[in-house]
Amino acid sequence: MTTLELQTRSRLFDYGPELEPEIVVLQAAIEASPTLSSDYAPRWLAVTLLEGDADLAARIASAPGGLVVLDTVEQIAARVAATCGEDVDTLIADRRYAFISGLVGQAVTRPADGGVTRSDKLDQVATHPWLGVPIFLILMWVVFQMTANVSSYYVDWIDGVIAGPVSNWALALLGTLGLSGTWAESLLVDGVIAGAGGMLVFVPVLLFLYFFLAVLEDSGYMARAAFVMDRFMQRLGLQGKSFIPLLVGFGCSVPGIYATRTLEDRRDRILTGMLVPFMSCAARLPVYILIGTAFFGASSGNLVFAMYLIGIAAAVMTGFLLRNTVLKSNEPQFFVMELPPYRRPSMKTVLRQVRMRTGAFVQAVWTVLMAASIIVWVLLNVPYHNGQPPELEDSLFGGVSRTVAPAFKPAGFGTWESSGALVTGLLAKEVVVSTLGQIYATAADNSDDATGSTAFVDDAKDIVVGFGTATLDTVKATISLIPGVNLMGADAEEEDTALETALRDHFTPLTAVAFSIFVLLYTPCMAAIAAFRHEFGSRWMWANIGYMLVVAWLAATLTYQVGSLLGLG
């Protein structure tokens, strides 16, 4: 489009008696500069400068006559604000929306009832200023309850398959190859199977979680959640758009940190980036599920929900602290988004999201977590003495863990086992579970050398029967969530995994909760740290690491000490 066409089209729009005379004045100042009038359509340039386009103003300032034009812009803005009580850009937007509304009124025929749709009626409740947040929290509580309780039967089934048939087949294969009792057997069984293989136990948890979240997203509700949280973000000194990176952070901190690029203000980007790691990512979920099922059984969903709330509370307090100190708030920007209509979720879309997200976790198990499990196994088995691996506590891993352990004693979990799991958790939070599995699996092997073996056909039959039983129990448990319905029976109990039993031998419920809080709040994984450094620089990266370690230690210690005073330990 030529300059003449732009100018002609701009003249077709009338900005009203308050602005048109001022636009004419500014247009005359622009036309007085041959350079500006030849490079830009004068009326378009006048309107755009009055809207406050900072990039364009910077270019105009370096042009001949540009400073005079910008000075005229400031004078006009001051006059309009004094006369109309509104900013120029606000008046321009109002006139444009009024023009659009007039066109729509002439072209669109609305129903006699005013066009109130079913989505509009639902939004009167879902986006209510006072009811919106409680509804969001209740829905999240239901999601976590169903995730923790309904998935537990498949968790037990996979744990039984890995600890039973898979381990037996691995031992039989190594025995056939003449490697029974060698380091290769220990690497495969105690390293790979107990570590990375043990993480596959939590695939059902993630499947159910991603399924329920995908249903909420595809139904259109999650957009309402972002809208509801806008007012909350404003109180933190953030624009509502900051909720999007925080919401992404519940899945993974890395894309959540990179999503801060959508924010225009650097202060908002840094503050939002500091809050994202407090959103409990999916990698932490296996830790909560493991501890929840080990110590709280059917109420494990409450622990998961509590961890998410604690993470949000920590982010809120961090936001208030930073907003009033090093990242003082500027005038907040407003959040504009379109709310899609409510609709029935598409199972094709939902299942595709579940497959993609769960597939990413499984891929991580066979790459990052596999490598981490092997590294932990090596550290647990060196240095060798007289051709034999050391006792776990005397290993290189145990030595490093013993050095760190005293720092966690005030929080109640100052053992080398738990401290070592937290150290490896810096690689990825899932490694906390795999490390605990390796430590306690190796300890169990050292104390009991007996191994069972069964025929391959019998093992395969047990796998199929176990899957059928788990599926039936899952269906019954799902139906039993309906109030007044109980298909599981009063004496129904879930079988404990070996790792859950080991945890109860080394933790109390109080120390387990304190441990979960530390996992929730301490430094994110290495990938998130790298993303943080890439986006905000080394200085803010180290500030984030130090701040989160202090917050995690204080929260875990406070939990344990207060709980002990109340007799909960």
Side-chain angles (χ1 to χ4, degrees), residues 462-477:
D462 289 341
I463 291 174
V464 174
V465 173
F467 179 80
T469 302
T471 302
L472 179 61
D473 288 341
T474 298
V475 173
K476 291 164 64 177

Side-chain angles (χ1 to χ4, degrees), residues 61-74:
S62 60
L67 295 179
V68 175
V69 171
L70 295 180
D71 184 62
T72 305
V73 171
E74 293 180 2

